[in-house]
Structure formats: C-alpha cells, structure tokens
Amino acid sequence: MIEISNEVRKLAEQSVLCWLATSDKDGQPSVSPKEAFVCHDNIFLIANIVSPQSARNVIENEKVCLSFLEIFTQKGYKIYGEARLIKEGDDEFEQYQAPLLEMTKGLYPFNSLFMIEPQKIQTITAPSYFLFKDTTEESQARKAFALYSKVFESL
C-alpha cells in the first residue's frame, strides 16, 4: 500500500462521481459509476449502493482501478489497488461505514462497501494539455464550463 497525498485527497473530495473498474475471474472487465466514495485514512471507501456485478467481481478478483477527475480542469487520478467487499455484520463494517454515512446523510442505503488499498496512483490529464501548448487549467475550465452550460440550456 502507498501513501495517498493531500492533492489526491483534495481532488477526491471535490469529485462528485468516480468510476470503479473491476474484472471477473476470467478477466472480463466491467466499469461502473459510484456516487458515494471517500478517501479515509490511507484507503478509499465506496458505498455499494446498487452494484452486484462489482461486488461479485471484487470477490473473484481483488485487482481494481478507481478513477475520478475534476470535470472543469479535466485532471484527475487513477488509483490501482486491491479491493475487499466489507459486509454488514463484518467486524470492520461499522467503523468504515461511518464516513460514508456522514457523506450521504443516510439518503443512500447500503449494506456493504468496497475498501480499496492503493498500490499505484497515476494522473489523468485531458489530451488538450498535450496537444495545445497554451492550454492551462483556467482555459480548460472555461471551455468545459461553456460546453456544459450549452448542454444544461438544452434540457
């Protein structure tokens, strides 16, 4: 397990969604969005709200990749690690559910959670930063905000 930096923690707190990539015992990958996740101590915790496939996969194959990003700057992180499914009734469940319950204010019921111990952390950076040398976080955020504004106006 490796140390999670304050920068990674901060971005995780700012992200409203993460993606958990798992695979079954045969290596068939599956990716699903997760809304309730926190960086707690030196691990990531994700509430298992409605993810039966992710749960089965983690039981069969503990290797996972968790990704999250700041949608306007389009920078984030991939967390490669090992996951465990912790169920209600397990010794650790009460301890680890606490930060997730605080985050969700009890609005999202769950009776198990994923605990991820990071093994490697990589940055995610939008291609614009590499393709266009004048791209900054501010310019990227302005472009993303303009795009998302148009999308919301059409709703």
Side-chain angles (χ1 to χ4, degrees), residues 22-128:
T22 62
S23 57
D24 64 19
K25 65 181 179 219
D26 297 323
Q28 181 63 49
S30 177
V31 177
S32 66
K34 309 292 185 223
E35 284 186 79
F37 70 104
V38 295
C39 183
H40 177 73
D41 294 333
N42 206 37
I43 57 176
F44 285 91
L45 301 170
I46 303 171
N48 180 12
I49 299 168
V50 286
S51 299
Q53 185 64 51
S54 296
R56 282 190 297 274
N57 286 354
V58 164
I59 291 168
E60 293 178 354
N61 182 352
E62 64 189 14
K63 300 289 185 191
V64 299
C65 181
L66 174 71
S67 64
F68 50 89
L69 60 88
E70 202 288 323
I71 61 168
F72 293 111
T73 63
Q74 297 182 358
K75 287 186 174 182
Y77 293 96
K78 288 190 279 190
I79 312 298
Y80 295 95
E82 295 179 351
R84 264 191 315 135
L85 185 68
I86 299 175
K87 300 175 193 167
E88 199 169 35
D90 291 349
D91 293 339
E92 302 160 299
F93 184 78
E94 209 166 301
Q95 168 194 351
Y96 287 133
Q97 78 168 342
L100 291 164
L101 287 174
E102 182 179 327
M103 175 195 189
T104 64
K105 298 180 181 12
L107 296 175
Y108 296 89
F110 60 93
N111 59 12
S112 66
L113 57 91
F114 302 100
M115 181 184 80
I116 300 170
E117 295 183 15
Q119 305 295 318
K120 180 170 106 175
I121 299 175
Q122 285 185 332
T123 58
I124 298 172
T125 306
S128 297

